[in-house]
Amino acid sequence: MQALKLTIRSIGAVLCGALLILSAAARADEVKAGDLVISQAWSRATPGGAKIGAGYLSIENKGSAPDRLVAVSGDAAGKIEVHEMAMNKGVMTMRPLEQGLTIDPGKTVTLAPSGYHLMMMDLKAPLKQGDKVPLTLEFEKAGKVAVTLDVQGVGAKGPGGDSGGMMKKMPDHSGMKM
């Protein structure tokens, strides 16, 4: 009986340790810069030869003043822009946000399929599932922030390959050539 109690305690200790490690790993995906918290940075794998890819993430402003994402850079692509995708009378439009993307105080802006996203043009190599794509986000107030996109499968709808039912399906433009 004593051995059984010891085994149950050992299993409990191992489970508690595993939960602590998992929760630390989840927090490690958050990047803080000034009043901003950037999380859930991800991308979709692209077919070979694709010159376009997209990046997604969430930016939370915990401060009392707005900030603005004004530029994005990275070695994976020749040019990276913040884009807005919208549907107007059944026609999809996509355009760069020339003035940047404002994150109002107390709000979270999510870059996701069917909305705001990072458009990576002139990809140097295909994005492959499991890859990590380092980028630098530049904010008006928070400055430059290093983030890493986790590359999911070609048809992924969200980080971890799952959207949790919160994102709409967007036409996959990762194979477009510009």
Side-chain angles (χ1 to χ4, degrees), residues 111-156:
L111 284 71
S114 299
Y116 299 121
H117 58 279
L118 305 177
M119 180 61 74
M120 297 180 282
M121 296 170 278
D122 191 22
L123 287 173
K124 308 278 169 73
L127 302 178
K128 296 179 183 160
Q129 186 172 358
D131 283 354
K132 306 279 187 195
V133 179
L135 298 178
T136 300
L137 308 178
E138 186 174 344
F139 293 92
E140 194 171 72
K141 293 182 179 145
K144 292 184 178 184
V145 182
V147 298
T148 302
L149 302 177
D150 292 325
V151 181
Q152 308 297 317
V154 172

Side-chain angles (χ1 to χ4, degrees), residues 40-44 54-58 111-113 116-117 149 170 173:
Q40 299 182 357
W42 68 284
S43 183
R44 289 183 177 136
Y56 312 105
L57 48 85
S58 291
L111 284 71
Y116 299 121
H117 58 279
L149 302 177
M170 173 179 151
H173 56 274

Side-chain angles (χ1 to χ4, degrees), residues 14-156:
V14 168
L15 288 175
C16 285
L19 286 174
L20 286 172
I21 290 169
L22 288 174
S23 65
R27 284 193 304 271
D29 290 338
E30 288 186 350
V31 176
K32 295 180 180 162
D35 292 328
L36 303 179
V37 178
I38 299 123
S39 62
Q40 299 182 357
W42 68 284
S43 183
R44 289 183 177 136
T46 58
K51 291 295 181 185
I52 300 288
Y56 312 105
L57 48 85
S58 291
I59 307 166
E60 180 182 6
N61 185 342
K62 293 187 173 196
S64 58
D67 204 340
R68 186 181 347 207
L69 176 59
V70 294
V72 184
S73 60
D75 291 338
K79 184 175 186 181
I80 306 173
E81 297 176 338
V82 181
H83 276 215
E84 177 180 36
M85 182 272 202
M87 294 296 288
N88 187 6
K89 297 181 183 176
V91 177
M92 181 184 85
T93 60
M94 192 170 11
R95 65 182 181 90
L97 297 176
E98 302 293 341
Q99 302 303 312
L101 178 62
T102 300
I103 302 92
D104 289 321
K107 302 287 184 187
T108 299
V109 174
T110 301
L111 284 71
S114 299
Y116 299 121
H117 58 279
L118 305 177
M119 180 61 74
M120 297 180 282
M121 296 170 278
D122 191 22
L123 287 173
K124 308 278 169 73
L127 302 178
K128 296 179 183 160
Q129 186 172 358
D131 283 354
K132 306 279 187 195
V133 179
L135 298 178
T136 300
L137 308 178
E138 186 174 344
F139 293 92
E140 194 171 72
K141 293 182 179 145
K144 292 184 178 184
V145 182
V147 298
T148 302
L149 302 177
D150 292 325
V151 181
Q152 308 297 317
V154 172

